Amino acid sequence: MRPDLFEAPDYYNLDDLLTEEHKLIRDAARAWVKRDVSPIIEEAAQNAEFPKSIIPGLSEIGAFGPYIPEEYGGAGLDQISYGLIMQEIERGDSGVRSTASVQSSLVMYPIWKYGSEEQRKKYLPKLASGEWMGSFGLTEPDHGSNPSGMITHYKDMGDHYLLNGAKLWISNSPFCNVAVVWAKNEEGRIHGLIVERGMEGFSTPETHNKWSLRASATGELIFQDVKVPKENLLPNKSGLGAPLGCLDSARFGIAWGAIGAAMDCYDTALRYAKERIQFGKPIAAFQLQQKKLAEMITEITKAQLLAFRLGQLKNEGRATSAQISMAKRNNVDMAIKIAREARQILGGMGITGEYSIMRHMMNLESVITYEGTHDIHLLITGLDITGENAFK
Ligand code: TGC
Ligand code: FAD
């Protein structure tokens, strides 16, 4: 892959709205991606390997638990800082951002919000440092968009719970030390359980042959009569609202992350269009290429404004789940369309690993599906504005 020459677009001077702390955090994450992610990510994706060597760096830039209080090892930052970190990481690769999203919003968040004080003290500092990596098991082979139908379940055996079932499409599963697993009790109520690697009957086979998110490890979580200690049940929230609350936080991060992928595609295409000569002039001089680039920067700017306002609302505790859905859906759709257009600007070079665009484009096919598909988020908006539930 060529040297990383990325320069971030800021067409509406959005930096003026950020605090000095926001800019410092964003710039540190940006510099880390340039130094430690860009040089290795193409090879990792080609080899379909998660580059574990970047785990300490992710922890250092505050990507593991950005908004988790410092007393538990988190960075204690606000939601806009969290968003900016996700934006910068996904500028490098959506798979790396996935790892950070899962660790922060899908593993640390439920332990912090729904866990006991003992669970917080036991797990959060190790997850924040990256000593332990986590995964989040909600999706099942027969229950993706409708997790309420899940069949993974546990029985109360007196001194422990007995867990059975299987989860599919689980980011980080092949190497996770702990998994936050959503399962039904004997009354059919959903609860979260912390399952640790090494518990008998727990296995995590990897899913191979992905064309997307190749630098992120995806797999299954299989539970065959796993004895889970009673103290591993998350005590403070149950029902489908518990995992969906975690998704709100992760979807918020994706709404920002997708902007990073789009910025990288736009910046690469703009530079290429200025340098590539055809018919005796730079292709940037042709109206058709200008249309593509002008529409890209317009859409990126709109997405930045949406994410920034959502960050303000989230900081004030006023962001609704439906507002988060709208931003996730819009910004990922924006990014995938920009990746497709940017790839065309590079002509044949666009399909190679010399440039990041094709990798972003393939990654975004997962991002538009996970954490609620494009369709599901549209139906969430539809329900919110009409009051009519079109899911079932
Ligand atoms: P529904 O009846 O609407 O709701 C059940 C209960 O949940 C509450 N609720 C929420 N709570 C918090 N946040 C939200 N976003 C919430 N949405 C709903 C709701 O109030 C209710 O509470 P209560 O107290 O009345 O029981 O549930 P439903 O079965 O009709 O489903 C609604 C639907 C379809 C929107 C939901 O199931 C959904 O979002 N489906 C999509 C599934 C999904 O997003 N899965 C993601 C899996 S994790 C993942 O993809 C990680 S990728 C990670 C990475 O690598 O980055
Ligand atoms: P389905 O739910 O079967 O949907 C198939 C199609 O039907 C979609 O187009 C969908 O929009 C449409 N559809 C479904 N229901 C409706 C409806 N009511 N109305 C209209 N259209 C509908 N899950 C986890 O729990 N943890 C993870 O860490 C995780 N990581 C992932 C990593 C990757 C790389 C991928 C690809 C997925 C991951 N997922 C994870 C799973 C992801 O959340 C699901 O793939 C997603 O929720 C969709 O579920 P599904 O694939 O079963 O599709």
Short mmCIF file of all heavy atoms in Angstrom, two decimals, residues 71-72 107-125 192 194 229-237:
data_model
loop_
_atom_site.label_atom_id
_atom_site.label_comp_id
_atom_site.label_asym_id
_atom_site.label_seq_id
_atom_site.Cartn_x
_atom_site.Cartn_y
_atom_site.Cartn_z
N GLU A 71 -12.13 5.70 37.01
CA GLU A 71 -11.95 4.78 38.16
C GLU A 71 -12.01 3.31 37.72
O GLU A 71 -11.52 2.43 38.41
CB GLU A 71 -13.00 5.05 39.24
CG GLU A 71 -14.42 4.80 38.79
CD GLU A 71 -15.45 5.02 39.90
OE1 GLU A 71 -15.33 4.38 40.96
OE2 GLU A 71 -16.37 5.81 39.68
N TYR A 72 -12.62 3.03 36.55
CA TYR A 72 -12.66 1.65 36.03
C TYR A 72 -11.66 1.45 34.89
O TYR A 72 -11.74 0.47 34.17
CB TYR A 72 -14.07 1.30 35.57
CG TYR A 72 -15.11 1.40 36.66
CD1 TYR A 72 -16.16 2.32 36.57
CD2 TYR A 72 -15.01 0.61 37.80
CE1 TYR A 72 -17.10 2.42 37.59
CE2 TYR A 72 -15.95 0.71 38.83
CZ TYR A 72 -16.99 1.61 38.71
OH TYR A 72 -17.91 1.72 39.72
N VAL A 107 -19.21 -4.58 25.30
CA VAL A 107 -18.70 -5.41 26.41
C VAL A 107 -18.52 -4.54 27.67
O VAL A 107 -19.11 -4.82 28.71
CB VAL A 107 -17.38 -6.12 26.01
CG1 VAL A 107 -16.86 -6.97 27.16
CG2 VAL A 107 -17.61 -6.99 24.77
N MET A 108 -17.74 -3.46 27.54
CA MET A 108 -17.52 -2.62 28.73
C MET A 108 -18.82 -1.91 29.15
O MET A 108 -19.14 -1.81 30.33
CB MET A 108 -16.40 -1.61 28.46
CG MET A 108 -15.05 -2.29 28.23
SD MET A 108 -13.73 -1.13 27.82
CE MET A 108 -13.41 -0.39 29.42
N TYR A 109 -19.56 -1.40 28.16
CA TYR A 109 -20.78 -0.64 28.50
C TYR A 109 -21.77 -1.48 29.32
O TYR A 109 -22.23 -1.05 30.37
CB TYR A 109 -21.43 -0.10 27.21
CG TYR A 109 -22.72 0.63 27.43
CD1 TYR A 109 -22.74 1.99 27.71
CD2 TYR A 109 -23.95 -0.04 27.38
CE1 TYR A 109 -23.94 2.67 27.93
CE2 TYR A 109 -25.14 0.62 27.60
CZ TYR A 109 -25.13 1.97 27.87
OH TYR A 109 -26.32 2.64 28.09
N PRO A 110 -22.13 -2.72 28.86
CA PRO A 110 -23.09 -3.48 29.67
C PRO A 110 -22.54 -3.85 31.05
O PRO A 110 -23.31 -3.89 32.02
CB PRO A 110 -23.39 -4.73 28.83
CG PRO A 110 -22.32 -4.80 27.80
CD PRO A 110 -21.85 -3.39 27.58
N ILE A 111 -21.24 -4.10 31.14
CA ILE A 111 -20.69 -4.44 32.47
C ILE A 111 -20.76 -3.20 33.37
O ILE A 111 -21.13 -3.27 34.54
CB ILE A 111 -19.25 -4.99 32.35
CG1 ILE A 111 -19.28 -6.34 31.62
CG2 ILE A 111 -18.60 -5.12 33.72
CD1 ILE A 111 -17.91 -6.93 31.28
N TRP A 112 -20.47 -2.03 32.78
CA TRP A 112 -20.54 -0.78 33.56
C TRP A 112 -21.98 -0.43 33.94
O TRP A 112 -22.28 -0.13 35.10
CB TRP A 112 -19.92 0.34 32.70
CG TRP A 112 -20.03 1.71 33.28
CD1 TRP A 112 -19.76 2.09 34.56
CD2 TRP A 112 -20.44 2.90 32.58
NE1 TRP A 112 -19.97 3.45 34.71
CE2 TRP A 112 -20.38 3.97 33.51
CE3 TRP A 112 -20.81 3.16 31.27
CZ2 TRP A 112 -20.72 5.28 33.15
CZ3 TRP A 112 -21.13 4.46 30.92
CH2 TRP A 112 -21.10 5.50 31.85
N LYS A 113 -22.90 -0.53 32.97
CA LYS A 113 -24.28 -0.07 33.20
C LYS A 113 -25.13 -1.10 33.93
O LYS A 113 -25.99 -0.75 34.73
CB LYS A 113 -24.96 0.26 31.86
CG LYS A 113 -24.59 1.62 31.33
CD LYS A 113 -25.34 2.71 32.08
CE LYS A 113 -24.85 4.08 31.68
NZ LYS A 113 -25.43 5.16 32.46
N TYR A 114 -24.96 -2.38 33.60
CA TYR A 114 -25.87 -3.41 34.13
C TYR A 114 -25.18 -4.34 35.12
O TYR A 114 -25.81 -5.23 35.67
CB TYR A 114 -26.44 -4.28 33.00
CG TYR A 114 -26.93 -3.54 31.76
CD1 TYR A 114 -26.78 -4.11 30.48
CD2 TYR A 114 -27.56 -2.31 31.84
CE1 TYR A 114 -27.24 -3.47 29.34
CE2 TYR A 114 -28.02 -1.65 30.70
CZ TYR A 114 -27.84 -2.23 29.46
OH TYR A 114 -28.28 -1.59 28.33
N GLY A 115 -23.85 -4.17 35.29
CA GLY A 115 -23.08 -5.10 36.12
C GLY A 115 -23.05 -4.70 37.59
O GLY A 115 -23.43 -3.58 37.97
N SER A 116 -22.60 -5.64 38.43
CA SER A 116 -22.40 -5.34 39.86
C SER A 116 -21.07 -4.61 40.03
O SER A 116 -20.23 -4.61 39.12
CB SER A 116 -22.35 -6.66 40.65
OG SER A 116 -21.21 -7.39 40.24
N GLU A 117 -20.85 -4.04 41.19
CA GLU A 117 -19.59 -3.35 41.45
C GLU A 117 -18.41 -4.34 41.36
O GLU A 117 -17.35 -4.00 40.83
CB GLU A 117 -19.65 -2.69 42.84
CG GLU A 117 -18.54 -1.69 43.12
CD GLU A 117 -18.38 -0.57 42.08
OE1 GLU A 117 -19.35 -0.24 41.36
OE2 GLU A 117 -17.26 -0.05 41.96
N GLU A 118 -18.63 -5.56 41.82
CA GLU A 118 -17.56 -6.58 41.74
C GLU A 118 -17.23 -6.87 40.28
O GLU A 118 -16.06 -7.01 39.91
CB GLU A 118 -18.00 -7.90 42.42
CG GLU A 118 -18.15 -7.83 43.93
CD GLU A 118 -19.38 -7.03 44.37
OE1 GLU A 118 -20.40 -7.04 43.64
OE2 GLU A 118 -19.32 -6.36 45.42
N GLN A 119 -18.25 -6.98 39.46
CA GLN A 119 -18.01 -7.26 38.02
C GLN A 119 -17.27 -6.09 37.38
O GLN A 119 -16.33 -6.28 36.59
CB GLN A 119 -19.35 -7.50 37.30
CG GLN A 119 -20.00 -8.81 37.68
CD GLN A 119 -21.43 -8.93 37.17
OE1 GLN A 119 -22.08 -7.93 36.85
NE2 GLN A 119 -21.94 -10.15 37.12
N ARG A 120 -17.67 -4.86 37.71
CA ARG A 120 -16.99 -3.69 37.14
C ARG A 120 -15.50 -3.73 37.49
O ARG A 120 -14.64 -3.52 36.63
CB ARG A 120 -17.59 -2.39 37.69
CG ARG A 120 -18.97 -2.12 37.19
CD ARG A 120 -19.45 -0.76 37.69
NE ARG A 120 -20.88 -0.68 37.50
CZ ARG A 120 -21.78 -0.41 38.45
NH1 ARG A 120 -21.39 -0.16 39.68
NH2 ARG A 120 -23.06 -0.38 38.18
N LYS A 121 -15.22 -3.99 38.77
CA LYS A 121 -13.81 -3.96 39.21
C LYS A 121 -13.02 -5.12 38.62
O LYS A 121 -11.83 -4.99 38.33
CB LYS A 121 -13.75 -4.01 40.75
CG LYS A 121 -14.16 -2.69 41.38
CD LYS A 121 -13.90 -2.68 42.85
CE LYS A 121 -14.19 -1.31 43.43
NZ LYS A 121 -14.96 -1.38 44.67
N LYS A 122 -13.68 -6.25 38.45
CA LYS A 122 -12.95 -7.42 37.94
C LYS A 122 -12.62 -7.28 36.45
O LYS A 122 -11.53 -7.61 36.02
CB LYS A 122 -13.78 -8.69 38.17
CG LYS A 122 -13.14 -9.94 37.59
CD LYS A 122 -13.91 -11.21 37.91
CE LYS A 122 -13.24 -12.41 37.22
NZ LYS A 122 -14.02 -13.62 37.32
N TYR A 123 -13.61 -6.79 35.66
CA TYR A 123 -13.44 -6.86 34.21
C TYR A 123 -13.00 -5.54 33.55
O TYR A 123 -12.23 -5.55 32.59
CB TYR A 123 -14.75 -7.31 33.54
CG TYR A 123 -15.13 -8.72 33.91
CD1 TYR A 123 -16.15 -8.98 34.82
CD2 TYR A 123 -14.47 -9.81 33.35
CE1 TYR A 123 -16.51 -10.28 35.17
CE2 TYR A 123 -14.81 -11.12 33.70
CZ TYR A 123 -15.83 -11.34 34.60
OH TYR A 123 -16.16 -12.62 34.95
N LEU A 124 -13.54 -4.41 34.01
CA LEU A 124 -13.36 -3.18 33.22
C LEU A 124 -11.89 -2.75 33.07
O LEU A 124 -11.47 -2.41 31.96
CB LEU A 124 -14.22 -2.05 33.78
CG LEU A 124 -15.73 -2.27 33.60
CD1 LEU A 124 -16.55 -1.12 34.21
CD2 LEU A 124 -16.10 -2.44 32.12
N PRO A 125 -11.09 -2.75 34.15
CA PRO A 125 -9.70 -2.30 33.95
C PRO A 125 -8.93 -3.17 32.95
O PRO A 125 -8.16 -2.66 32.13
CB PRO A 125 -9.09 -2.39 35.36
CG PRO A 125 -10.27 -2.29 36.29
CD PRO A 125 -11.39 -2.99 35.58
N GLY A 192 -28.15 -10.90 30.50
CA GLY A 192 -26.76 -10.94 30.05
C GLY A 192 -25.91 -11.76 31.01
O GLY A 192 -26.04 -11.64 32.23
N ILE A 194 -21.78 -13.16 31.68
CA ILE A 194 -20.38 -13.03 31.27
C ILE A 194 -19.77 -14.43 31.23
O ILE A 194 -19.67 -15.11 32.26
CB ILE A 194 -19.59 -12.14 32.26
CG1 ILE A 194 -20.27 -10.77 32.43
CG2 ILE A 194 -18.14 -11.96 31.78
CD1 ILE A 194 -19.69 -9.92 33.55
N PRO A 229 -20.89 -19.42 36.57
CA PRO A 229 -21.10 -19.04 37.98
C PRO A 229 -22.21 -18.01 38.12
O PRO A 229 -22.36 -17.14 37.26
CB PRO A 229 -19.75 -18.45 38.41
CG PRO A 229 -18.76 -18.92 37.39
CD PRO A 229 -19.51 -19.14 36.12
N LYS A 230 -22.97 -18.09 39.19
CA LYS A 230 -24.11 -17.18 39.35
C LYS A 230 -23.67 -15.72 39.41
O LYS A 230 -24.40 -14.83 38.98
CB LYS A 230 -24.89 -17.56 40.60
CG LYS A 230 -25.72 -18.81 40.37
CD LYS A 230 -26.85 -18.92 41.34
CE LYS A 230 -27.99 -19.69 40.68
NZ LYS A 230 -29.06 -20.00 41.64
N GLU A 231 -22.45 -15.49 39.93
CA GLU A 231 -21.99 -14.10 40.03
C GLU A 231 -21.67 -13.50 38.65
O GLU A 231 -21.36 -12.31 38.55
CB GLU A 231 -20.80 -13.96 40.98
CG GLU A 231 -19.53 -14.66 40.56
CD GLU A 231 -19.38 -16.03 41.20
OE1 GLU A 231 -20.41 -16.63 41.57
OE2 GLU A 231 -18.24 -16.52 41.32
N ASN A 232 -21.77 -14.30 37.57
CA ASN A 232 -21.50 -13.78 36.22
C ASN A 232 -22.75 -13.27 35.51
O ASN A 232 -22.68 -12.82 34.37
CB ASN A 232 -20.83 -14.85 35.35
CG ASN A 232 -19.37 -15.01 35.71
OD1 ASN A 232 -18.98 -14.78 36.84
ND2 ASN A 232 -18.55 -15.40 34.76
N LEU A 233 -23.91 -13.33 36.16
CA LEU A 233 -25.13 -12.76 35.58
C LEU A 233 -25.11 -11.24 35.77
O LEU A 233 -24.79 -10.77 36.87
CB LEU A 233 -26.36 -13.34 36.28
CG LEU A 233 -27.71 -12.90 35.70
CD1 LEU A 233 -28.17 -13.93 34.67
CD2 LEU A 233 -28.75 -12.78 36.80
N LEU A 234 -25.41 -10.47 34.72
CA LEU A 234 -25.49 -9.00 34.88
C LEU A 234 -26.79 -8.70 35.63
O LEU A 234 -27.88 -8.97 35.12
CB LEU A 234 -25.48 -8.31 33.51
CG LEU A 234 -24.20 -8.49 32.67
CD1 LEU A 234 -24.35 -7.83 31.30
CD2 LEU A 234 -22.97 -7.92 33.39
N PRO A 235 -26.71 -8.14 36.85
CA PRO A 235 -27.90 -8.09 37.70
C PRO A 235 -28.84 -6.91 37.46
O PRO A 235 -29.99 -6.96 37.86
CB PRO A 235 -27.31 -8.00 39.11
CG PRO A 235 -25.99 -7.36 38.94
CD PRO A 235 -25.49 -7.73 37.57
N ASN A 236 -28.34 -5.85 36.82
CA ASN A 236 -29.11 -4.59 36.92
C ASN A 236 -30.02 -4.25 35.75
O ASN A 236 -30.64 -3.19 35.77
CB ASN A 236 -28.15 -3.43 37.20
CG ASN A 236 -27.50 -3.59 38.56
OD1 ASN A 236 -28.11 -4.19 39.46
ND2 ASN A 236 -26.27 -3.14 38.71
N LYS A 237 -30.10 -5.07 34.72
CA LYS A 237 -31.10 -4.85 33.66
C LYS A 237 -31.34 -6.16 32.91
O LYS A 237 -30.41 -6.91 32.65
CB LYS A 237 -30.64 -3.77 32.69
CG LYS A 237 -31.78 -3.31 31.76
CD LYS A 237 -31.46 -1.97 31.07
CE LYS A 237 -32.40 -1.70 29.91
NZ LYS A 237 -33.55 -0.89 30.23
#
